[in-house]
Amino acid sequence: MRQADAQARIAGAALYPAVGVDVSNSRSWTDSSRTGGRGAGSSSSRSYQATLGAAYQVDLFGGNAANADAAQQRLLASRYDREAVALTVESGVASLYFQLLAIRDRVRLAEETLRIAESILGVLQRQVDLGAASDLELAQQRASVAQQRASIPVLQQAERETLTALAILLGRPPQGFSVEGRTLVGMTLPPAVAGLPATLLLRRPDLRQAEATLKAADLDIVTARADRLPTIDLSLRGGVQAAALSAVFDAPTFVGSLVGSVSAPIFEGGRLEAQEDQARARAAELVDSYRRAVLTAYGDVENALSSTDTAERRHRFAQDANTQARIALRIVDARFRTGTVDFLNVLEAQRTVSQTDDTAIQAALDRYIAAVTLYTALGGGWDGAPR
């Protein structure tokens, strides 16, 4: 962006006169002693001159102004690029944060399921000791408990890796980085308002970037066309001249000149025409790119709205399934303890709870990710002003 800003100032400089100063000191001499003629000898003279000059190219056909305006549009495009990157980073941070909370929820539920499995294992062990259960059932439950224990370190490693990724995305060292949030439960998503298509065009930095680039390309056509037309250059020089340095300030001789010239290309081998054709083709390409960017933006919003609705419904169903699975596990556990159901029902209930736990958490995460996607598709609440 700073490069684009410097380039804009460079292009704008052509709209102003170029002013410079020239200070010179010259010395000349003659030597006629070698000729041997009458009055032979040598002589020398010194001259000091200070000149202030100004040169200006009349922007008769607007080429310089168009070039400066094009540079300003590219500067805006660069700023909009930065806004798009900022929006991507913000969305990435939000997504990683929600993923971190979802993993912590999975760890919490896995530990809770492990405690239930260990409790059932204790009951089963006592039943085996009393001869009311078989060693097979005991081995099956021990396998279930071991499986639950093995899943927790994997989730904890995923939590550390997600925390590290979040720290890096925030530009912080992973060592000592922490996040206070522990769960997705209880978080409230703000309602998303899609807005009118016209406002969407103002709220997407990528669309503003495409628009600014297209405007710059249109101005490049004006510049290329002006290069094929005559140019008028004006040059004004004025200064003082004296034989001694002190005389420059005391009794100088004033010198000055005003020069005007007109130049026009006659034959360039088709180079200037080709440059204009290239500028027009580039502008036509960017028109199609802008149209595609607009259609893509509308498609992003439509898909994000659909994903948000789907995620909301899936989340409700997954929560209900998980609630019922946990109720079923409590009922089966109670009946198993009284000996009214066999152990296979307990194993099946445990597997169902484990599966619905993961499904419910993933559905909750999808709900937040869909909201982040919609937020990004709508421009992230950006007001259109580059920062």
Side-chain angles (χ1 to χ4, degrees):
M1 194 181 69
R2 290 194 295 268
Q3 294 179 45
D5 178 65
Q7 189 60 46
R9 286 185 278 119
I10 292 172
L15 300 176
Y16 302 95
V19 181
V21 63
D22 180 25
V23 179
S24 63
N25 170 21
S26 62
R27 181 181 180 184
S28 61
W29 64 89
T30 59
D31 186 358
S32 58
S33 59
R34 296 180 181 180
T35 61
R38 186 177 180 180
S42 62
S43 63
S44 63
S45 63
R46 186 182 295 271
S47 174
Y48 298 89
Q49 184 172 347
T51 306
L52 182 68
Y56 179 67
Q57 185 180 81
V58 180
D59 195 18
L60 191 61
F61 299 100
N64 292 339
N67 190 40
D69 290 342
Q72 287 292 335
Q73 290 298 325
R74 291 190 173 92
L75 173 58
L76 278 178
S78 180
R79 290 176 176 172
Y80 295 140
D81 266 339
R82 188 180 74 165
E83 295 299 332
V85 171
L87 179 57
T88 301
V89 172
E90 291 169 359
S91 302
V93 168
S95 297
L96 278 176
Y97 176 70
F98 293 138
Q99 290 175 27
L100 177 65
L101 298 189
I103 292 174
R104 288 177 173 177
D105 278 335
R106 292 182 66 190
V107 172
R108 175 177 54 81
L109 290 178
E111 291 173 344
E112 182 180 335
T113 304
L114 175 61
R115 286 193 296 270
I116 295 174
E118 288 174 337
S119 175
I120 294 174
L121 178 61
V123 173
L124 193 59
Q125 181 67 59
R126 289 191 294 271
Q127 290 183 352
V128 170
D129 294 340
L130 295 173
S134 67
D135 290 337
L136 175 60
E137 293 172 334
L138 182 63
Q140 288 175 327
Q141 184 60 17
R142 283 175 177 171
S144 178
V145 169
Q147 195 173 28
Q148 286 291 330
R149 287 174 179 166
S151 67
I152 294 176
V154 176
L155 292 174
Q156 291 172 336
Q157 177 63 26
E159 177 184 354
R160 285 191 292 269
E161 292 177 356
T162 305
L163 196 62
T164 297
L166 183 57
I168 293 173
L169 191 56
L170 291 171
R172 300 180 185 178
Q175 294 78 8
F177 180 78
S178 62
V179 172
E180 294 183 0
R182 306 303 306 175
T183 177
L184 287 174
V185 178
M187 296 185 66
T188 303
L189 284 174
V193 180
L196 298 175
T199 61
L200 174 62
L201 297 181
L202 299 177
R203 290 162 56 183
R204 292 263 303 213
D206 58 335
L207 295 186
R208 297 295 293 273
Q209 186 272 343
E211 180 185 9
T213 304
L214 177 57
K215 289 180 178 179
D218 287 336
L219 291 166
D220 286 340
I221 297 175
V222 178
T223 302
R225 184 170 60 247
D227 288 341
R228 301 177 58 187
L229 301 174
T231 60
I232 299 177
D233 293 301
L234 301 177
S235 176
L236 174 64
R237 297 178 63 86
V240 293
Q241 183 177 2
L245 182 61
S246 59
V248 170
F249 303 99
D250 296 336
T253 299
F254 291 96
V255 294
S257 65
L258 174 63
V259 178
S261 63
V262 178
S263 59
I266 296 177
F267 179 73
E268 293 279 348
R271 179 179 63 88
L272 297 179
E273 292 181 3
Q275 287 179 349
E276 184 176 351
D277 291 341
Q278 182 185 33
R280 292 184 182 279
R282 173 62 176 162
E285 176 190 5
L286 291 175
V287 168
D288 287 338
S289 297
Y290 181 68
R291 183 183 297 112
R292 184 181 67 249
V294 172
L295 294 175
T296 300
Y298 290 153
D300 289 344
V301 174
E302 285 297 320
N303 290 336
L305 286 171
S306 177
S307 296
T308 301
D309 180 64
T310 301
E312 287 287 349
R313 290 186 289 113
R314 180 170 178 258
H315 179 242
R316 289 196 301 269
F317 299 149
Q319 276 189 319
D320 184 56
N322 185 240
T323 300
Q324 297 304 318
R326 287 189 168 275
I327 291 174
L329 178 59
R330 287 197 297 270
I331 294 173
V332 169
D333 181 31
R335 292 181 179 180
F336 173 71
R337 292 173 188 269
T338 60
T340 57
V341 297
D342 62 28
F343 184 65
L344 289 178
N345 291 320
V346 177
L347 284 178
E348 182 62 29
Q350 288 180 102
R351 281 194 293 268
T352 302
V353 166
S354 180
Q355 292 171 357
T356 57
D357 280 346
D358 283 345
T359 302
I361 293 173
Q362 186 60 51
L365 176 60
D366 290 345
R367 179 169 169 258
Y368 287 96
I369 296 300
V372 172
T373 303
L374 179 58
Y375 176 84
T376 305
L378 294 175
W382 183 58
D383 61 2
R387 290 171 282 184

